[in-house]
Amino acid sequence: EVQLVESGGGLVQPGRSLRLSCAASGFTFDDYAMHWVRQAPGKGLEWVSGISWNSVSIGYADSVKGRFTISRDNAKNSLYLQMDSLRAEDTALYYCAKVFSRRFDYWGQGTLVTVSS
Amino acid sequence: QSALTQPPSASGSPGQSVTISCTGSSSDVGGNNYVSWYQQHPGKVPKLMIYEVNKRPSGVPDRFSGSKSGNTASLTVSGLQAEDEADYYCVSYAGSNNYVFGTGTKVTVL
């Protein structure tokens, strides 16, 4: 059974940093691209960032480019999102998602990030 | 990376059909066949309903169907049921490991 478990969310002040993690199990992690998708409270889904199986291809939404860094450790079956210079508008539930053939086929339950002073 | 445009809401009576549009550009929706649709009930994780424009994952009822014409993709839910009431999002691959989501549509079953 595929499982994606996010962690690392919490309350952080504007301008500070936070690192999210996603622990994957139930599939061959290093065969698949992985992505982060977020959802602000009461708002729609927004793609944040994605990384190919071998970390060669990486993409970011314009809204986070230059502030967020995605990475993965295939030996640990883990995905990460380093979030720097956080802003109030980054407040959201952050989902980790597995991608197969350009579709998000499995999602985690999400971890909540709140940016506030 | 502008969000794909969806109508904010759509509705229909049980048994009727509802169609949701998803309009992008030649850089995303119109440029490939990697359009997918997700259903999200309140407080729940999004669920894949349609992929590659018109394919259904196993377990998704055949009441759900997808299509595309030019820069606009569509999701049709036929034979509406109460459990279909949810938010629906389209997503398109936009090249170079980038994706763009739609603005979301709230479907109400009257």
Side-chain angles (χ1 to χ4, degrees):
Chain A
E1 178 194 4
V2 172
Q3 284 198 320
L4 299 170
V5 180
E6 303 93 337
S7 61
L11 174 63
V12 61
Q13 293 179 328
R16 304 297 291 265
S17 299
L18 208 58
R19 189 194 196 206
L20 305 184
S21 299
C22 171
S25 61
F27 65 101
T28 304
F29 184 70
D30 53 12
D31 276 351
Y32 297 96
M34 297 294 296
H35 289 249
W36 291 97
V37 177
R38 68 183 180 184
Q39 187 167 34
K43 302 297 185 182
L45 298 169
E46 179 189 16
W47 176 76
V48 174
S49 181
I51 185 168
S52 62
W53 66 274
N54 59 1
S55 302
V56 168
S57 178
I58 288 176
Y60 297 99
D62 288 344
S63 57
V64 307
K65 200 171 292 183
R67 299 188 299 121
F68 289 12
T69 303
I70 191 172
S71 63
R72 64 190 294 162
D73 186 337
N74 288 343
K76 295 183 178 179
N77 287 353
S78 293
L79 175 72
Y80 306 102
L81 187 67
Q82 177 67 39
M83 304 186 296
D84 299 323
S85 303
L86 282 162
R87 307 167 179 167
E89 53 264 37
D90 296 319
T91 293
L93 184 64
Y94 283 73
Y95 293 104
C96 162
K98 169 182 170 290
V99 166
F100 171 61
S101 191
R102 312 277 192 230
R103 59 189 183 265
F104 301 87
D105 59 347
Y106 288 94
W107 299 63
Q109 293 294 316
T111 186
L112 182 62
V113 173
T114 302
V115 184
S116 174
S117 54
Chain B
Q1 289 185 347
S2 298
L4 306 177
T5 301
Q6 297 180 232
S9 62
S11 62
S13 300
Q16 289 187 331
S17 294
V18 65
T19 297
I20 304 166
S21 62
C22 167
T23 301
S25 69
S26 57
S27 298
D28 36 65
V29 176
N32 61 75
N33 286 323
Y34 293 111
V35 176
S36 50
W37 290 87
Y38 301 82
Q39 176 192 66
Q40 187 181 36
H41 287 107
K44 300 297 185 181
V45 174
K47 176 185 176 184
L48 175 66
M49 305 301 285
I50 294 287
Y51 66 97
E52 292 176 15
V53 175
N54 56 15
K55 298 178 182 177
R56 275 188 316 277
S58 61
V60 172
D62 59 7
R63 303 184 292 103
F64 291 85
S65 62
S67 63
K68 192 186 85 167
S69 178
N71 295 338
T72 298
S74 298
L75 173 72
T76 298
V77 185
S78 306
L80 268 175
Q81 299 183 5
E83 60 262 33
D84 299 333
E85 186 162 294
D87 293 325
Y88 291 83
Y89 297 90
C90 61
V91 179
S92 176
Y93 180 63
S96 302
N97 212 20
N98 286 264
Y99 290 77
V100 59
F101 275 74
T103 50
T105 299
K106 181 176 180 58
V107 169
T108 301
V109 181
L110 302 172

